Amino acid sequence: MQNVLAGILSALMACTGGAILVIKCAEMIGLNRSELISWIFVVYFIGGVFNIALSLKYKIPFGGAHSITAVAFLSTVAANFSVNELSGSFMMTGGLVLIFGFSGLFNKVLTFIPKPMIDAMLAGLILNYVVHIVPAFKESPLVGGLAILGFFIGPRISKWISPLLGVLIFGVLGLFIGYDFPIVQTTEFSLPQLVVPTFTLNSFITIAIPLAVLILSNDIAVALAALKKNGYHPPVNKTLVFSGLGTLIVGLFGGHAVNIGGMMTALCSSDEAGPKEKRLVAAIVSGGLVALFGLFAWKMIVIIELLPSSFITLLSGFALLGVLLNSLRSSFSEPSYQLSILFVFVIAISNLSFLGISAPVWSLLVGVISAKLLGEGKFSKEKLKEDQA
């Protein structure tokens, strides 16, 4: 039950907030309903199948669909480009990710980062999701109050009801009691539409490069760091190659990306997903639900447009509470790193981008440099040598 619930919550993170961002971005670009359905179908269906295939092949709990941060970025610049130019830029993004995978540079960088810094970076990123529980509660006190109540009393009602399942059950109950569902337009079924890509220098610089950086730093790097933290050894270069190929394919149908997800993988690979040998179940459930969401995109759009954003925020925040606690405990319990860990944590919390590079990358870069300058980490290395001896 714990495995299945973690998979469900992981899928909800992508199929609610991520889908809403895609819908809003499509409206800003001026896409029609058929083009929107095509976009959602390819990134979710292919993304879900992609993550299931990776999980089964390597026996590692990969979770994901597409890059949510990439959609958020697209909503600020995509209106200035045609659908054909966007398709071309998405395919160029996949090509850039492929280059990083074939070159092996990404894997080499990841091996030099101390584990406590990875934990601190994850804790800072996850904290952004968790703290939003408070404004979400303020926005919908009844729904939020019942969700919080479910977190505490769900396990008391039955041992089969985890705190997260209690949040989901009581939160949905709150929606039916105190939320006025809006009237949304009906959507007809349509097949994915092939887009003829147009490749321009402007779209490469303005869209492809930033998208590749966001996918690598906010999604793939976070996912690989979470797997490493939880005792897994993911094939870094092959993960990048497959993500690049997936992004190339969906670009032909107007999809912006297909890749492993940072927070989704963090949830599926954490203690919240049950014993380590069973966490693969969470990833398969997550990927299966994501693929079904894409397959029935023409119906799912209507359902997603009914849900309030505060409810989605509550679910995401509570789903990551346990991951946050474990990351904080693991990062700040290491005595050989003090200030450098604090720098990583604070920069990751900021969630700001500078020079086109996102906060997770800056946090790890500053952490590694400050540890070298301050001479931190020596105790940890000496202890490791003693243990090996």
Side-chain angles (χ1 to χ4, degrees):
M1 188 64 185
Q2 198 174 5
N3 313 132
V4 173
L5 180 61
I8 292 172
L9 291 171
S10 172
L12 282 172
M13 292 175 67
C15 298
T16 50
I20 287 174
L21 282 174
V22 172
I23 292 170
K24 290 181 178 178
C25 187
E27 290 175 353
M28 296 179 67
I29 298 172
L31 300 184
N32 58 43
R33 209 67 170 172
S34 296
E35 290 170 331
L36 170 60
I37 293 171
S38 178
W39 185 354
I40 292 180
F41 175 88
V42 293
V43 297
Y44 281 101
F45 181 73
I46 296 178
V49 173
F50 164 79
N51 280 278
I52 290 176
L54 276 184
S55 298
L56 292 175
K57 180 176 176 61
Y58 297 108
K59 300 297 185 289
I60 292 174
F62 289 103
H66 63 87
S67 175
I68 295 176
T69 52
V71 180
F73 165 76
L74 276 174
S75 64
T76 64
V77 297
N80 300 319
F81 296 87
S82 67
V83 174
N84 306 88
E85 288 176 314
L86 289 174
S87 175
S89 65
F90 298 156
M91 294 184 69
M92 289 187 285
T93 298
L96 290 173
V97 176
L98 265 175
I99 291 172
F100 271 91
F102 282 125
S103 66
L105 292 174
F106 203 77
N107 189 21
K108 293 176 182 178
V109 171
L110 202 62
T111 56
F112 283 103
I113 304 171
K115 184 176 179 294
M117 292 187 187
I118 293 174
D119 294 331
M121 181 267 287
L122 284 172
L125 291 177
I126 293 169
L127 187 62
N128 281 292
Y129 287 84
V130 175
V131 297
H132 288 149
I133 291 175
V134 179
F137 171 78
K138 181 182 177 182
E139 185 177 343
S140 302
L142 177 61
V143 177
L146 283 173
I148 294 171
L149 184 65
F151 182 85
F152 290 106
I153 71 170
R156 292 181 178 273
I157 296 174
S158 172
K159 64 178 182 179
W160 300 106
I161 300 178
S162 69
L164 293 177
L165 184 56
V167 169
L168 182 59
I169 294 172
F170 279 72
V172 171
L173 178 62
L175 285 177
F176 281 107
I177 294 174
Y179 179 68
D180 294 326
F181 291 94
I183 298 174
V184 294
Q185 59 175 310
T186 57
T187 304
E188 296 181 356
F189 172 78
S190 63
L191 294 171
Q193 298 182 356
L194 188 67
V195 181
V196 179
T198 300
F199 304 97
T200 65
L201 180 61
N202 185 26
S203 63
F204 176 75
I205 296 173
T206 307
I207 296 180
I209 293 177
L211 280 187
V213 171
L214 286 171
I215 292 168
L216 289 169
S217 60
N218 273 25
D219 292 283
I220 297 178
V222 174
L224 294 174
L227 290 170
K228 183 179 177 182
K229 170 190 176 298
N230 291 312
Y232 295 95
H233 303 284
V236 177
N237 294 334
K238 291 179 180 178
T239 301
L240 265 68
V241 169
F242 288 132
S243 295
L245 286 172
T247 301
L248 269 170
I249 293 170
V250 298
L252 282 169
F253 299 91
H256 65 287
V258 157
N259 53 265
I260 59 174
M263 292 299 102
M264 293 176 69
T265 300
L267 181 57
C268 289
S269 64
S270 70
D271 293 338
E272 299 297 308
K276 187 177 178 181
E277 64 275 10
K278 297 288 186 179
R279 293 174 194 171
L280 190 64
V281 174
I284 294 172
V285 170
S286 176
L289 291 175
V290 166
L292 284 173
F293 181 88
L295 190 62
F296 295 96
W298 57 291
K299 286 293 186 184
M300 294 296 105
I301 291 173
V302 178
I303 297 174
I304 289 299
E305 290 176 337
L306 290 173
L307 294 176
S309 59
S310 58
F311 178 68
I312 295 165
T313 302
L314 282 166
L315 288 179
S316 300
F318 278 109
L320 293 169
L321 267 179
V323 184
L324 173 63
L325 181 61
N326 291 331
S327 297
L328 286 171
R329 185 186 294 122
S330 177
S331 58
F332 287 100
S333 63
E334 175 56 63
S336 61
Y337 295 96
Q338 292 183 357
L339 284 176
S340 56
I341 290 295
L342 184 61
F343 293 155
V344 173
F345 182 62
V346 171
I347 294 172
I349 290 174
S350 71
N351 202 28
L352 296 176
S353 297
F354 180 62
L355 298 178
I357 302 174
S358 61
V361 175
W362 281 118
S363 67
L364 293 174
L365 181 62
V366 171
V368 170
I369 293 174
S370 61
K372 294 290 184 183
L373 294 176
L374 296 171
E376 294 186 339
K378 292 181 180 179
F379 172 79
S380 180
K381 293 177 182 178
E382 292 172 0
K383 186 176 184 301
L384 179 61
K385 290 179 181 178
E386 291 176 2
D387 293 340
Q388 290 174 342

